[in-house]
Amino acid sequence: MSTSDTRVLIVGGSLVGLSTAVFLAHHKVPCTVVERHPSTSIHPRAVGYYPRTAELLRTVGVEEAAKEAASGFEKHKTRAGVVSLAGEVLFSKEELEGGDELSDLTPSKLLLLPQDRLEPILRARAEKLGADLRFSTELVSFTQDDDGVTAVVRNAEGVESTLRADYLVAADGPRSTVREALGIAREGRGVLSRHVSIAFGADFGAVLGDRRYSVVHVKNDTVTGILVHDDTLTEGTLIVGYDPGKGESLDDFTDARCAELVSAAIGSDEVAVTVRSRFPWDMAELVAETFVQGRVLIAGDAAHQIPPTGGYGANTGIADAFNLAWKLALVLEGTAGPGLLTTYQEERRPVGLYTAQQGSLQLAMRSGTATEEQQAATDDAMTVTMGQAYRSGAFVPETGATQLPLTSDPRTLRGEPGTRAPYVLLERDGAPLATLDLFGTGFVLMAGQDGGSWAEAAEAAAAGTGARLTFHRIAATVQDGGALADPEGRWNAAYGVRADGAVLVRPDGIVAWRSPGGVPAGDQGAELIAALRRILAR
């Protein structure tokens, strides 16, 4: 049996596994993905990615390709309830209403793009960055010890080989074999209902006319389900439920039955239907009791199963991978201690619990069964995806500061440690530059117009910790000593510091530490060094 080495073995090559490979390869971490299917998904599955997810893709050079692939869906923003596509419209609402008003919050926008189109983009980027992707390869077994993980994998020809890795990331879905092998239990409401997604071909043109939908809720005497259509108006997916308690099963969904259901959802016998595939899945609210066990870390649906109402599952999984990748990179290169990886659980598990609950609340809201208490507890999408505040983890809380709630309206956040670094549009050499584009590799220290002394502190901190640290001074005009320009004068207020203050931002765009004012007298970078060492678990 042959043996090979990699730094990180990723089990599962779907959306979250491929994202993990892209993010790790972006940080120059050698990684190997094993995926039992022969290629990327043939089923549309997830279709919506919120602006925060688009920001993460922007960091690794994927956003533009995703935007181009999603361009045909730009008008697909209406969520509706109908008797059928050809029949009565019961309600109609714009998805992410007010999305064009987010320009003060983010340069990115909602992406409507089926998973089967995003995955090939991620695959191409991962391969370009050097990731080793092995499709038609399944994990047979694994063991871990103090130094790493040894895995046995099997390819399509049935040949087994051994992979030795420093760490294993389980991104192998809700039925994760890795999680089950480790005996990690899950908590939550459990399986709420069982469903099958029917991918089909049909000519929607005559039925839709000039209408374009992101999601359609269909209810008539024959079918109750959710329908989505693509930008070519020739392919779609119908999601319907079934109840084993009533004697129903997947076996009921023959090609003929699926075609009947799709035709009823379309509402026209003149539209021919071709069934392409079926994908069974469970709607559930379940979160793993731990995301980290020894040298194994779990992410995406393996870590948290989120009801799809709200579309938070894929977005949360990609955010898991983004949070984890830079931490693995710094631990593997020796800049950070292994304790940095425990902060992955500290930061992401509360988010997983909260988001799973929000998915269930959205389910109650959209079914019309939400109580007044549930309605009050339901947050908007920007709060859920962009307004998170980590309560413990790899950052330095401010002494005496009031603890923020787990999530807030992102417009109310002001650069508090543990929150997303606010977006401000700056200028460099006369060209626009988003603060977001300063982040993504090493740490970034930003200081106000009068914070030039922080440059020496940053140099001392980089030398004292070995961390990659870039310094930027933000001034009113670009002529001011080569600083980045803040023509609208927003930076200081956005980050909650004075003109001589400074803010340290992590590689994932989360504020790690800040000083409201200048470098303390005689400090010589000591405070910043102490902050970095705490963040790096050193």
Side-chain angles (χ1 to χ4, degrees), residues 447-505:
Q449 180 164 307
D450 301 332
S453 60
W454 284 106
E456 292 184 8
E459 186 176 348
T465 63
R468 291 182 296 278
L469 178 58
T470 304
F471 174 75
H472 297 284
R473 188 167 64 88
I474 317 297
T477 65
V478 73
Q479 288 81 15
D480 188 353
L484 299 177
D486 178 21
E488 297 181 2
R490 291 187 56 229
W491 186 83
N492 291 96
Y495 281 83
V497 296
R498 302 193 303 263
D500 59 346
V503 179
L504 180 68
V505 180

Side-chain angles (χ1 to χ4, degrees), residues 25-167:
H26 169 75
H27 289 291
K28 304 188 185 308
V29 176
C31 58
T32 299
V33 175
V34 294
E35 165 57 52
R36 63 186 179 89
H37 290 104
S39 188
T40 54
S41 177
I42 62 171
H43 205 89
R45 298 168 70 181
V47 295
Y49 308 93
Y50 287 106
R52 177 55 179 162
T53 303
E55 289 180 358
L56 309 187
L57 299 179
R58 177 191 186 105
T59 301
V60 294
V62 172
E63 184 187 29
E64 285 303 315
K67 284 169 60 177
E68 183 178 351
S71 60
F73 292 86
E74 287 180 353
K75 295 182 180 179
H76 296 220
K77 293 184 177 180
T78 303
R79 176 181 292 273
V82 303
V83 174
S84 68
L85 284 184
E88 181 184 359
V89 176
L90 304 175
F91 72 85
S92 181
K93 185 181 189 309
E94 184 177 338
E95 195 79 276
L96 199 60
E97 194 168 6
D100 293 337
E101 301 171 4
L102 298 174
S103 59
D104 65 322
L105 193 59
T106 175
S108 298
K109 293 186 177 182
L110 175 74
L111 292 173
L112 290 176
L113 184 65
Q115 184 171 334
D116 61 337
R117 294 202 198 174
L118 179 57
E119 284 189 9
I121 296 172
L122 292 169
R123 176 179 183 173
R125 186 60 177 163
E127 290 175 336
K128 184 174 182 178
L129 292 173
D132 177 11
L133 308 185
R134 303 185 188 184
F135 288 89
S136 296
T137 303
E138 64 178 329
L139 177 72
V140 176
S141 64
F142 71 94
T143 57
Q144 62 172 316
D145 52 50
D146 291 342
D147 299 319
V149 177
T150 301
V152 176
V153 300
R154 182 188 299 124
N155 66 16
E157 288 72 41
V159 177
E160 294 187 356
S161 59
T162 300
L163 272 169
R164 178 67 178 175
D166 293 277
Y167 291 94

Side-chain angles (χ1 to χ4, degrees), residues 332-402:
L332 287 168
E333 72 179 30
T335 301
L340 179 61
L341 295 179
T342 66
T343 71
Y344 168 63
Q345 162 150 320
E346 293 171 355
E347 294 178 352
R348 296 305 301 171
R349 187 170 186 275
V351 170
L353 287 166
Y354 161 81
T355 310
Q357 292 163 2
Q358 286 296 313
S360 287
L361 289 170
Q362 285 285 349
L363 178 62
M365 292 286 287
R366 294 182 182 178
S367 65
T369 62
T371 64
E372 289 186 5
E373 183 180 8
Q374 288 175 319
Q375 292 176 34
T378 304
D379 293 327
D380 65 85
M382 290 298 96
T383 295
V384 174
T385 59
M386 196 175 283
Q388 299 160 5
Y390 296 141
R391 294 181 173 181
S392 62
F395 62 93
V396 182
E398 293 177 307
T399 303
T402 301

Side-chain angles (χ1 to χ4, degrees), residues 223-370:
V223 62
T224 297
I226 294 175
L227 186 146
V228 295
H229 63 82
D230 77 342
D231 55 345
T232 70
L233 307 187
T234 62
E235 294 184 357
T237 303
L238 177 66
I239 302 171
V240 294
Y242 66 96
D243 187 352
K246 296 180 179 179
E248 299 169 349
S249 73
L250 285 173
D251 294 337
D252 299 332
F253 294 93
T254 62
D255 283 354
R257 176 58 176 162
C258 289
E260 178 187 5
L261 294 172
V262 172
S263 291
I266 294 173
S268 172
D269 293 334
E270 297 180 4
V271 178
V273 172
T274 302
V275 175
R276 295 170 48 222
S277 65
R278 303 166 196 76
F279 179 78
W281 56 276
D282 295 338
M283 181 182 291
E285 181 191 318
L286 287 166
V287 180
E289 291 184 350
T290 182
F291 288 12
V292 180
Q293 189 173 111
R295 292 271 177 162
V296 179
L297 310 105
I298 61 175
D301 286 350
H304 39 65
Q305 218 169 332
I306 299 170
T309 40
Y312 298 135
N315 290 271
T316 305
I318 293 172
D320 290 341
F322 199 72
N323 182 286
L324 180 57
W326 72 272
K327 295 176 179 178
L328 275 168
L330 292 186
V331 170
L332 287 168
E333 72 179 30
T335 301
L340 179 61
L341 295 179
T342 66
T343 71
Y344 168 63
Q345 162 150 320
E346 293 171 355
E347 294 178 352
R348 296 305 301 171
R349 187 170 186 275
V351 170
L353 287 166
Y354 161 81
T355 310
Q357 292 163 2
Q358 286 296 313
S360 287
L361 289 170
Q362 285 285 349
L363 178 62
M365 292 286 287
R366 294 182 182 178
S367 65
T369 62

